[in-house]
Structure formats: structure tokens, C-alpha cells
């Protein structure tokens, strides 16, 4: 007997199931599609009992099979990473997450606004991937396998399109506004109808082609939303601009008095500016993950059983393969050493400034650098299973929380568009039915409502303050990279510092402790010149007069040696017993028949670190130190700077856990760090800063990057942020007051589209003028 087809996916229904569905997931998805009124989703394909289960389709009807990209674990759960095309605002994020979280079996569904990355996890036994994704595809979003390179290329294409449209709209708006000045002047002095019509026709020839070309970014989004049976903020924008142009063209053709080509093209120009700046801000946030992934984008040398060496991309290396890592090469996989001894620079992962000595049996991780000797590894993890990939995931989870902190315009977008459409429709209907007005006048009033309710001033309330505040900080060497950074800085009540490279300069310096003479230093530096070890370089830098000694041999993972018996290296290498009182990095020089000499190194604090900590405490901030360094070193720097709360030996996950604990207690944390181990914590914190000396990934993960060797930018940024918050609240009051006052006038027919455009522009100028007060720096 041929099994009946599933009502949702079209696959065969098992004989022991009733109700017309092959699984609970399909039953839930079918109910959801019915609830949303998207039955047309099923009209895209024919239900064939012999057909394969349905795969999500895009708007063209093309089917996509994501089964090859599904990753399953040993707990019965599967996950899928996809890129969402057509994502525009916080309402889109809310809709997609709501659709997915209503599906049975889903344990996690999150959309990252900055990277447009969708991560969904579900229980395999309860639902299939096709059933999960179908409702999202049905409402008009396109899902493709996540590819950072494709995302970057798509974003660059969109930004170029916006920039070109913005240039065309600005040029057209300037020229049409000049023509409109003549028409406006004609209202107060005699202007014949023929002259006015000429001005209108010239304005139409300039504005209409520009509007038709520049409105595309908004129109595509609006059409896509309407075809999927939903709405967004681009719908009233597109309708208002289109109706203003059509009405103006109608009036021009019939020698009418009112033509508002200037309003339409100027409105479009300002909207394009906002859309472009928003895209640029998201692009800077997205590059944090791209920099992390780039650390893993190195070829791996795989050793075949027959001894042949092959260069293979890291994601194509199988677990258990044997890999050769040359000295100076970045390690591209996680693995266990089975041959070789070396020093490995783990500062990107741990923040520890001193390289770690590794030997057979030790584990190494992707992203670290092999310094001194060749290593042979047995691969334990590649791709998404590496520690580097885990840091990527931690960053994206942390950034998701940040992305949900959206602007007010996005928070009200669920109801803004329907209310505006309804108000315009009611205005049009009321003037025809109750006011007995001609349809042209009623339509004119409806267009005025659409234009005057455009939330330009409301949308500028936060960004304009951010731009002016960011410019003030930039002049002082402080780069604000996140669109909501200043807003979050104003909430800060706790400051958490990393140690190496943040509170300190991050460069080992030889200590003048009196335990050695100048002759000892020159002798040791002559050997140190033969090594690339950071401590050896610091030692050599302390004695520029030293010359390279002959016959220096480097013993990977231990130190340097001469045939005469001189040794420079670790305590164990030179035969000095460990007394348990080691503080900070050190090198030992051993000479036959003489006592060993210790060269101690320190990482000096930044010049104003103590004063900045004192200023933060005076501002009422709680200050903590989270370091991946050793306890003795962290305790010393904390005591020197006056930091009472400190923790040492913190891994990336432990730093995130501490920040999460502070957040649960109601604290708003500013995290300041510079290493790769700080990147997840920088993303997880309420807001974050990084010095310009930091690794690229920490700079891109941070909301703010500051130049120079001082920490005073921390205090300056907090002060600017607090003033910015006051100005933002004032701008919100001005913008909302504008709408409360003008919308009733527009509905009452007391505002023409021309006046509406002027009022809208004026409200924006008032908001900008108020924000400009932030550019004045006291003192």
C-alpha cells in the first residue's frame, strides 16, 4: 500500500502515524503556516507521494537542501548555521526568532543582526531541518549556508549601491530645491502659471528619474515584505515618496499649483544617509568574527603514511592525521604533540606574555605560533571543533545580546508601519466621506500624513549624538566603532581590566635588581641575540653594545648553549632548583664553576594607570582585574595600582563567566582588554574598550579603540557618554513633541506635503543643533 503524503513536507507518512503528518515537526509547522495565513506556501509545489521531503524554497521556487550543512552531536541535537538575506531591522530578528522558537524540538534560535548569521539548534528526533526553515522562507527571507566571504562581498555591494544612490539623490535634491525656491517666492510675488509650470516640469525631469533609481533599496524591501504578507518600515517610506511623486506629476500635467518633487527627493536623500551609516556600523561589528576566522585560514602541512607532505586547508584535515608545524609557523589545528620540543606563543589565546614550553604529550591549539623548533602533531580537532572556533561561537553569542539592544525606531517598528498606514487611510477616507473634499485634496492630506510621520527626527535622536560624540573622541585618538557604544557607556558602574598590554605596556623590560653586572649583561645579551624568544629580545635590547657570540645553539623549549658550557635559559635548564617563590618572567645565565645569575623581567604599568584607577573609583565605579597571567604577577600589579578585586589564571570562558555573574547581579560592566583571550569577554561585556596595540581581533571586538600609551581615554569616554545620554533624552523629547504637535494638524488638513517636508526637515535640524553642544569640550 502506497503511504499517503505529509500535508506539510510531502514526504511519506509512516503507517503507525495518523493525522496526515510524517512527524510532530511537520504538524507544528503546518499549524504555524495556517496561523500566519501563508497557505500559498503549499501552492509552490505539488504533493507527490513518491517525492522527497520538502526542502525550503526561495521566492523563485528554487529548492535548497541544507542537510549537508547540518552538524549533529552525540546528545541527539543538531545545529545549522545560515546567513539570512533580507534582514533590515530589529523587527526582522524578532519575527525569525519567533517563527523558529514556536517549532517543536527547537532548543535555540538566534539571529545576529550584525553578521546576519542564524544559528538554530533542535532535537533531531522531533523535527527535521526542512520543517524548521519552511516558515522563515515562506515569509520572504532567503537562507543560504553561512559564508563570511560571501557576506562581506554582499555587504560591500549593498554599500556601494547605497553610496551611489545617496550621491544621485543629493545632487538631484540640491538642484530641485533651487528651482523650488523660485516657486516659493512666487507665492509672495506675482508668478504666472506658465512660469510656475515650467519650474515644475524642470523639477520633474530632474527628480523623477532620480527617485526611480534611488528608491530601489527601500522599494525592494517593501515589495518583498508585502509579497510575504507582512510589513516593515520601508513600506510607508516607499508609499509616501511614490504618492508624492505621482501627485506632483498629476498636478504638473494639469497645471496644478502644488508639486512636491523637492519633498520627495530630499526625504529620500536623508533616508539613504541613515541606511548607509547603519550598514557601515554593522560592517565594523561583523569584522570581529572575520578576523578570528582569518587566524585559522592558514594551510596545514599533512604528513602522509608514505612520507609525502601535502598542504591542505585546515577544514579539510581529518582528525587523527599527522601534521608538521615548522618553527615560526602559525598552528592551524588543535592537536597533541608526538614529536619535537619547542616554545609556543599562546598570547593570542591566554594573554600570557611568556611563551609556553611544549614537549611530546602536550596539547596545542589553532591560532597559536610555534616559535623555536619543528613539531609533529596528531590532529584532535579541526574547523568548528577547535578552541579558536569555540571563541568565535562565544563572541557571536555575546554579540547577539548586544544586537538586541536596538534603537527606539526599531523597537516600535512592529506597530509603527500599520499605524501610519491606517492613519493615512483614515485621513483620506474621512476627508472624502465627512469633509466632502475632492479626492485630489484628500490624497494630498494622506500623503502629508505619511511624510510628516516619517520618524527622521526620532531616528536621528541617538545617531547624531553618537556621531558628534564620536568625532570629539576621535580628535583625542579614541575611535568609537559600535553604533550603541556611547549609550551603553553611560550605564557603566563597573570597570574590568585585563593586565598584559592593557594596564601594562605588554613589553617585557629587564629589571635593575642589582643581581648582575654590566659585564654579565653583555655576555648574556651576546647569546640572546641568537634567539627570537621575547625575553631574549628584551635582554638583547638592554645591551645594545653586545655582539652575537659564536657557536650559539638553541635548545627548543629550554634555552641557549655554548660549547664552552655557558647556558642561558630557564631555571630548570641551567640547573637551579625551584624554590616556589618565582615572581614574573626570568632568564638564568649559568657559567662553569660560577653561581648562576638571574635576569628578572617586568611588564611596567602604563604611566597614568594608577591615576586612572583612582579617577574611576572617585566616579563611583567598581574596578576589577581579570588576568590570564600567574597569580603572583597579577597580585603585584593590582597592589601597585590600588585594585582590590583581582583574579589570575583566567581562561576566556572564565572571564566570560565572571562578566556574566556581574551582569546577573545587576552590574553594567566595561571590559578593557587587548589579547585574543579577551575577545569573547570584550563581546560579552555591556560595553568594551581596547588599546590600539591590541591584536586585530580584540580591536574589532571592542566598541572603542584608543591610541597612545596612556589610559586617560577611559575616563574621557565615560564623561562624554554621560553627557551624550542627557542630550539623547532631550532629542527624544523634541522628536516626540514634534509628532504629537504636527500629526493632528496633518490629519486635520492644515498641513500640505510641502509644509510637512519643511516641518520634518526642521525637526531634524533642531535635533542636530541640540546634539552639536556635545562637540564643545570644557577645559
Amino acid at each position: 500500500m502506497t503511504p499517503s503524503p505529509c500535508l506539510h513536507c510531502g514526504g511519506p507518512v509512516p503507517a503507525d502515524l495518523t493525522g496526515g503528518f510524517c512527524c510532530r515537526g511537520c504538524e507544528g509547522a503546518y499549524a504555524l503556516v495556517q496561523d500566519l495565513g501563508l497557505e500559498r506556501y503549499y501552492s509552490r509545489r505539488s504533493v507527490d507521494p513518491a517525492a522527497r521531503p520538502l526542502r525550503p524554497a526561495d521566492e523563485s521556487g528554487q529548492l535548497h537542501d541544507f542537510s549537508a550543512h547540518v552538524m549533529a552531536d552525540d546528545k541527539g541535537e543538531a545545529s545549522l548555521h545560515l546567513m539570512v538575506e533580507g534582514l533590515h531591522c530589529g523587527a526582522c530578528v524578532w519575527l525569525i526568532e519567533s517563527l523558529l522558537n514556536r517549532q517543536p524540538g527547537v532548543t535555540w534560535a538566534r539571529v545576529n543582526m550584525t553578521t546576519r548569521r542564524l544559528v538554530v539548534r533542535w532535537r533531531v528526533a522531533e523535527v527535521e531541518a526542512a520543517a524548521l526553515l519552511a516558515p522563515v522562507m515562506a515569509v520572504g527571507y532567503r537562507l543560504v549556508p553561512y559564508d563570511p566571504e560571501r557576506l562581506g562581498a554582499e555587504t560591500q555591494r549593498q554599500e556601494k549601491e547605497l553610496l551611489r544612490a545617496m550621491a544621485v539623490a543629493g545632487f538631484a535634491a540640491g538642484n530641485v530645491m533651487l528651482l523650488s525656491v523660485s516657486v516659493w517666492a512666487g507665492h509672495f510675488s506675482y508668478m504666472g502659471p506658465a512660469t510656475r509650470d515650467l519650474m515644475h516640469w524642470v523639477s520633474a525631469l530632474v527628480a523623477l528619474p532620480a527617485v526611480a533609481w534611488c528608491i530601489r533599496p527601500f522599494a525592494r524591501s517593501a515589495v518583498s515584505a508585502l509579497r510575504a504578507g507582512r510589513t516593515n518600515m520601508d513600506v510607508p517610506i516607499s508609499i509616501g515618496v511614490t504618492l508624492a511623486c505621482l501627485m506632483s506629476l498629476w498636478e504638473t500635467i494639469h497645471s496644478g499649483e502644488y508639486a512636491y518633487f523637492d519633498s520627495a527627493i530630499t526625504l529620500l536623500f536623508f533616508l539613504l544617509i541613515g541606511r548607509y551609516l547603519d550598514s557601515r556600523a554593522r560592517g565594523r561589528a561583523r569584522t570581529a568574527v572575520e578576523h578570528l576566522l582569518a587566524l585559522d585560514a592558514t594551510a596545514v602541512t599533512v604528513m602522509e603514511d608514505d612520507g609525502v607532505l601535502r598542504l591542505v586547508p585546515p577544514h579539510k584535515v581529518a582528525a587523527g592525521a599527522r601534521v608538521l608545524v615548522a618553527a615560526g609557523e602559525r598552528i592551524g589545528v588543535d592537536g597533541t604533540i608526538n614529536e619535537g620540543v619547542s616554545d609556543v606563543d599562546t598570547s593570542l589565546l591566554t594573554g600570557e606574555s611568556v611563551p609556553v614550553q611544549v614537549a611530546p604529550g602536550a596539547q596545542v591549539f589553532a591560532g597559536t605560533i610555534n616559535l623555536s623548533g619543528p613539531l609533529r602533531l596528531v590532529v584532535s580537532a579541526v574547523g568548528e571543533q577547535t578552541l579558536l572556533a569555540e571563541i568565535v561561537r562565544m563572541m557571536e553569542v555575546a554579540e547577539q545580546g548586544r544586537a538586541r539592544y536596538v534603537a527606539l525606531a526599531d523597537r516600535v517598528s512592529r506597530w509603527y508601519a500599520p499605524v501610519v498606514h491606517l492613519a493615512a487611510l483614515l485621513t483620506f477616507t474621512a476627508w472624502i466621506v465627512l469633509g466632502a473634499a475632492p479626492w485630489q485634496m484628500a490624497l494630498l492630506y494622506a500623503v502629508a500624513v505619511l511624510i510628516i510621520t516619517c520618524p527622521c527626527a526620532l531616528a536621528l535622536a541617538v545617531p547624531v549624538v553618537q556621531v558628534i560624540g564620536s568625532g570629539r573622541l576621535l580628535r583625542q585618538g579614541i575611535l568609537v566603532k559600535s553604533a550603541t557604544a556611547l549609550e551603553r557607556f553611560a550605564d557603566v558602574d563597573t570597570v574590568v581590566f585585563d593586565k598584559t598590554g592593557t594596564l601594562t605596556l605588554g613589553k617585557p623590560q629587564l629589571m635593575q635588581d642589582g643581581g648582575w653586572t654590566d659585564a654579565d649583561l653583555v655576555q648574556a645579551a651576546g647569546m640572546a641575540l641568537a634567539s627570537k624568544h621575547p625575553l631574549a629580545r628584551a635582554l638583547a635590547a638592554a645591551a645594545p653594545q653586545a655582539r652575537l657570540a659564536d657557536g650559539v645553539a638553541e635548545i627548543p623549549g629550554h634555552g641557549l648553549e655554548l660549547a664552552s658550557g655557558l647556558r642561558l635559559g630557564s631555571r630548570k635548564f641551567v640547573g637551579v632548583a625551584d624554590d616556589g617563590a618565582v615572581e614574573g618572567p626570568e632568564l638564568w645565565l649559568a657559567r662553569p664553576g660560577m653561581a648562576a645569575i638571574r635576569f628578572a623581567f617586568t611588564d611596567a604599568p602604563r604611566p597614568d594607570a594608577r591615576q586612572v584607577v583612582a579617577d574611576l573609583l572617585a566616579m563611583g565605579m567598581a574596578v576589577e582585574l581579570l588576568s590570564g597571567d600567574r597569580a603572583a604577577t597579577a597580585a603585584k600589579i593590582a597592589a601597585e595600582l590600588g585594585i582590590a578585586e583581582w583574579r589570575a589564571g583566567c581562561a576566556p570562558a572564565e572571564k566570560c563567566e565572571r562578566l556574566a555573574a556581574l551582569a546577573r547581579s545587576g552590574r553594567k560592566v566595561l571590559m578593557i582588554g587587548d589579547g585574543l583571550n579577551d575577545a569573547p569577554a570584550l563581546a560579552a561585556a555591556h560595553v568594551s574598550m581596547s588599546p590600539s596595540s591590541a591584536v586585530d581581533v580584540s580591536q574589532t571586538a571592542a566598541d572603542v579603540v584608543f591610541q597612545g600609551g596612556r589610559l586617560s581615554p577611559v575616563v574621557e569616554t565615560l564623561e562624554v557618554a554621560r553627557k551624550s545620554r542627557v542630550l539623547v533624552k532631550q532629542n527624544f523629547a523634541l522628536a516626540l513633541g514634534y509628532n504629537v504637535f504636527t500629526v493632528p494638524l496633518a490629519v486635520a488638513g492644515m498641513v500640505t506635503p510641502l509644509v510637512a517636508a519643511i516641518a520634518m526637515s526642521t525637526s531634524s535640524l533642531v535635533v542636530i543643533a541640540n546634539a552639536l553642544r556635545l562637540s564643545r569640550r570644557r577645559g
Side-chain angles (χ1 to χ4, degrees):
M1 178 180 177
T2 303
S4 59
C6 175
L7 295 176
H8 177 68
C9 72
V13 177
D16 58 341
L17 294 181
T18 59
F21 301 99
C22 63
C23 65
R24 289 177 56 193
C26 284
E27 183 176 1
Y30 183 85
L32 181 60
V33 171
Q34 298 293 328
D35 291 343
L36 295 173
L38 300 171
E39 292 85 353
R40 64 183 180 80
Y41 164 73
Y42 298 108
S43 67
R44 294 183 181 178
R45 41 85 180 178
S46 59
V47 179
D48 182 358
R52 297 174 58 192
L54 180 68
R55 301 183 301 260
D58 59 19
E59 292 183 357
S60 64
Q62 180 181 1
L63 300 180
H64 297 281
D65 186 359
F66 296 114
S67 58
H69 304 278
V70 174
M71 294 179 294
D73 58 21
D74 55 1
K75 298 179 181 179
E77 288 193 357
S79 62
L80 194 57
H81 293 234
L82 300 171
M83 186 172 73
V84 184
E85 295 184 358
L87 196 66
H88 295 288
C89 63
C92 297
V93 174
W94 168 82
L95 176 61
I96 294 172
E97 291 181 356
S98 299
L99 289 171
L100 293 173
N101 284 316
R102 290 178 62 178
Q103 298 278 9
V106 173
T107 59
W108 174 271
R110 290 291 183 269
V111 178
N112 189 307
M113 186 69 179
T114 59
T115 63
R116 301 207 294 272
R117 184 172 187 171
L118 165 64
V119 181
V120 57
R121 301 191 189 108
W122 71 94
R123 291 183 288 272
V124 179
E126 297 186 32
V127 67
E128 295 180 353
L132 288 178
L133 302 176
V136 177
M137 302 286 276
V139 295
Y141 297 102
R142 186 165 181 261
L143 305 178
V144 296
Y146 187 76
D147 181 357
E149 292 184 1
R150 176 173 179 171
L151 173 60
E154 177 66 17
T155 301
Q156 288 181 2
R157 185 194 65 78
Q158 292 178 358
E159 288 182 356
K160 288 180 179 179
E161 180 187 30
L162 288 172
L163 197 58
R164 287 193 294 265
M166 188 168 59
V168 172
F171 176 80
N175 284 277
V176 173
M177 194 62 69
L178 289 176
L179 295 169
S180 298
V181 170
S182 301
V183 177
W184 297 342
H187 288 291
F188 305 100
S189 62
Y190 177 75
M191 174 182 283
T195 304
R196 185 191 63 209
D197 290 348
L198 176 62
M199 295 295 180
H200 285 171
W201 275 114
V202 175
S203 297
L205 291 174
V206 175
L208 291 180
V211 169
W213 194 76
C214 297
I215 201 174
R216 293 179 305 161
F218 304 100
R220 280 196 298 264
S221 171
V223 170
S224 177
L226 293 174
R227 289 178 60 186
R230 60 186 180 89
T231 185
N232 60 19
M233 295 183 70
D234 289 338
V235 173
I237 290 172
S238 301
I239 292 176
V241 173
T242 302
L243 288 180
C245 290
L246 293 177
M247 169 63 74
S248 301
L249 183 59
W250 173 273
E251 289 287 304
T252 301
I253 292 173
H254 293 84
S255 298
E257 183 178 354
Y258 301 107
Y260 303 105
F261 298 111
D262 53 344
S263 301
I265 191 64
T266 303
L267 171 62
L268 197 55
F269 175 58
F270 282 113
L271 292 172
L272 285 166
I273 292 175
R275 182 64 58 88
Y276 176 75
L277 294 177
D278 179 68
S279 177
R280 293 290 296 173
R282 294 181 193 174
R284 286 195 297 270
R286 186 190 65 252
T287 56
V289 175
E290 291 178 354
H291 274 292
L292 274 175
L293 294 174
L295 292 178
D296 194 31
T298 178
V300 175
T301 304
V302 176
M303 302 176 60
E304 302 289 1
D305 294 336
D306 57 2
V308 176
L309 301 180
R310 288 191 306 114
L311 288 178
V312 180
H315 66 276
K316 293 187 177 181
V317 179
R322 293 184 301 157
V323 170
L324 175 65
V325 183
E329 183 179 348
R330 187 179 297 277
I331 300 173
V333 296
D334 289 2
T336 303
I337 298 174
N338 67 347
E339 186 177 334
V341 177
S342 183
D343 297 294
V344 175
D345 181 358
T346 62
S347 59
L348 288 175
L349 294 177
T350 67
E352 174 65 65
S353 56
V354 179
V356 176
Q357 297 178 1
V358 294
Q363 189 168 12
V364 292
F365 303 98
T368 58
I369 301 176
N370 179 28
L371 292 177
S372 53
L375 295 173
R376 296 188 179 187
L377 317 177
V378 176
V379 177
S380 59
V382 297
E384 289 293 325
Q385 283 70 48
T386 63
L387 178 62
L388 190 63
E390 179 63 25
I391 292 177
V392 171
R393 285 192 289 271
M394 283 192 289
M395 282 189 64
E396 289 203 324
V397 170
E399 283 185 343
Q400 173 58 28
R402 178 186 308 173
R404 298 172 75 88
Y405 195 97
V406 292
L408 178 62
D410 279 342
R411 290 201 292 267
V412 303
S413 60
R414 298 182 205 172
W415 52 265
Y416 164 77
V419 168
V420 170
H421 297 155
L422 182 61
L425 179 61
L426 290 176
T427 300
F428 178 77
T429 305
W431 275 101
I432 290 180
V433 176
L434 302 178
W439 72 267
Q440 294 94 335
M441 292 302 298
L443 183 60
L444 201 64
Y445 298 150
V447 170
V449 171
L450 284 174
I451 293 177
I452 209 165
T453 53
C454 181
C456 288
L458 189 62
L460 282 171
V462 176
V464 71
V465 174
Q466 292 171 341
V467 169
I468 294 172
S470 299
R472 169 177 164 176
L473 293 174
L474 184 61
R475 290 191 294 272
Q476 302 173 58
I478 306 169
L479 173 63
V480 180
K481 299 167 50 273
S482 170
T484 60
L486 290 179
E487 187 176 351
R488 288 178 281 125
F489 261 94
D491 298 328
V492 169
D493 55 21
T494 302
V495 180
V496 175
F497 287 98
D498 172 51
K499 183 188 75 67
T500 305
T502 304
L503 284 174
T504 67
L505 296 173
K507 298 177 180 179
Q509 295 179 341
L510 181 63
M511 294 177 60
Q512 302 281 349
D513 57 3
W516 44 267
T517 65
D518 289 344
D520 297 332
L521 175 60
V522 171
Q523 188 175 31
M527 299 178 65
L529 286 169
S531 175
K532 294 183 178 180
H533 193 286
L535 295 185
R537 290 182 176 182
L539 186 63
Q545 72 275 24
R547 295 296 179 265
L548 176 64
D550 295 329
V552 180
E554 184 166 8
I555 311 300
H558 296 286
L560 304 167
E561 186 176 26
L562 285 175
S564 61
L566 267 69
R567 285 189 170 190
L568 178 68
S570 66
R571 179 185 293 259
K572 181 179 179 181
F573 180 56
V574 302
V576 177
D578 189 351
D579 57 8
V582 178
E583 286 191 10
E586 61 181 8
L587 286 177
W588 287 81
L589 176 65
R591 296 169 290 190
M594 300 177 66
I597 297 174
R598 178 176 182 264
F599 295 95
F601 298 84
T602 184
D603 190 3
R606 291 178 183 262
D608 62 341
R610 184 175 181 83
Q611 182 60 47
V612 167
V613 171
D615 291 343
L616 292 174
L617 294 173
M619 294 171 67
M621 304 284 180
V623 181
E624 292 191 17
L625 170 63
L626 296 181
S627 174
D629 219 329
R630 288 168 286 195
T633 306
K636 181 180 178 182
I637 196 72
E640 184 177 349
L641 301 181
I643 300 176
E645 184 71 25
W646 61 271
R647 296 166 187 257
C650 296
E654 292 171 330
K655 291 187 177 183
C656 289
E657 289 172 4
R658 176 56 182 164
L659 295 183
L662 289 171
R664 287 193 296 270
S665 65
R667 312 296 292 186
K668 302 296 185 182
V669 180
L670 163 61
M671 176 69 195
I672 308 173
D674 76 316
L676 179 58
N677 63 313
D678 300 316
L682 291 170
H686 185 66
V687 69
S688 56
M689 295 185 74
S690 180
S692 59
S693 58
V695 296
D696 287 346
V697 66
S698 292
Q699 291 188 37
T700 51
D703 299 297
V704 172
V705 175
F706 59 91
Q707 305 280 345
R710 307 180 70 85
L711 280 176
S712 56
V714 175
V715 176
E716 172 69 12
T717 304
L718 288 169
E719 291 177 348
V720 170
R722 291 183 173 183
K723 186 174 181 181
S724 297
R725 178 170 59 183
V726 175
L727 293 176
V728 164
K729 290 180 179 179
Q730 293 174 353
N731 282 351
F732 274 135
L734 291 170
L736 292 173
Y738 152 78
N739 279 282
V740 169
F741 178 75
T742 58
V743 171
L745 295 178
V747 173
M750 301 173 66
V751 177
T752 66
L754 174 61
V755 176
I758 295 174
M760 181 199 67
S761 300
T762 301
S763 67
S764 299
L765 291 175
V766 169
V767 166
I768 293 172
N770 184 56
L772 283 172
R773 296 191 296 142
L774 183 61
S775 63
R776 297 195 298 267
R777 185 184 181 190
R778 291 177 299 178

